[in-house]
Amino acid sequence: MTAPESPSLEPGYHPDILQGSGTGPPAAGDHDCAPLGRHEGRVHISSRRRRIDAATVGHLALHIPNALFSLLIVTALSLVMGELTPLSLWVWIGLWLLSGSLAFWRPAENLIARLFMGLHHPTDGELARLTPLWHEVTARAGVDASVYTLWVEESSDINAEATGGHIVSVTSHAVDRLPDGQLAAVLAHELGHHVGGHAWSALMAYWYSLPGRLVWHLLRVVIARARDRSRITAEVIILTLGAGAVFTVVITNGLILLLVAAPFLISAVGRNAELRADRYASGLGLASQLTALLSGPLATDRTESAADRTGSSSLLARLLASHPDSRARLHALRRHSERQS
């Protein structure tokens, strides 16, 4: 399940793919090829049970440089808009910081889900399939099911996603093809992302790095156009940027070079978040269902699939993968089960 970057928005670990397989369309009255059964932990303890785990802390910490760069850009914009005073500066910064909370406002979340993520509310049939499983999963976790909203994405992939503060989505293919036990495991995995803080931290990290991302994108466009118009102009720009980079490295005693490692560290944190969500689903009594899903015919390594499409299976691609492969996830699940037994 994931967190590759979205071209428009990156509000969460998405597209959050729990790769695995169903056994074909469940027969009528026989949806559950791996029955859920009764679970001893089936009791409501609190309404939310949210926490911040190590993956969340790591993800936020690694995005601090991006957030500081964005803060610098916001300050520069305040200068452009008028004379900078301490009061006006704090107003600009305050508005920018408060803007992140809008992403957790229900109407704003619904707008993001529809316009940027292509989600829709479940149909009556999809709702009839999802609701009992969702209530079973949240009851086992001691979580109020109404805190979160179920959405569906029209897709032929087995895919799921936890986004922002309240969104849990699955693809129509997953709803149609997965047996009850495996679909419940998907939902439990996504709940694990919410409960662990992975979804909201990813949204916050993306939002507060957005000004920096936009400036970087604009800079790339300017360089590309300059290269088209004049080779000399492009070379001058590149040399100037290079000199600025060297100067930055010198005055920061090389600390800026940590930014080079940041994409690899962020990907590693993302893989850790997936393993944590798997352990969360396992803790709800869905280890066997999750194992069946990950080891099924469609349990394809995302990294290897991407490598097949690009013709590359480099170590670099694997280090930048946001998900561990299926074998790694199964191994981690097995070790977790052994420690619990």
Side-chain angles (χ1 to χ4, degrees), residues 30-51:
D30 187 28
H31 286 295
D32 202 349
C33 297
L36 288 177
R38 184 67 60 176
H39 186 64
E40 293 179 359
R42 185 183 173 87
V43 58
H44 282 289
I45 299 173
S46 65
S47 62
R48 294 178 183 269
R49 288 183 62 108
R50 298 191 193 233
R51 62 178 185 271

Side-chain angles (χ1 to χ4, degrees), residues 6 11 14 59 64 81 83 108 111 139 141-142 150 167 209 214 218 220 243 271 306-307 325 340:
S6 168
H14 61 280
H59 193 75
I64 288 176
M81 297 299 292
E83 182 180 355
L111 188 65
L150 296 174
I167 293 175
S209 65
L214 293 176
L218 180 62
R220 291 173 60 186
R271 293 192 294 271
D325 60 45
Q340 296 300 312

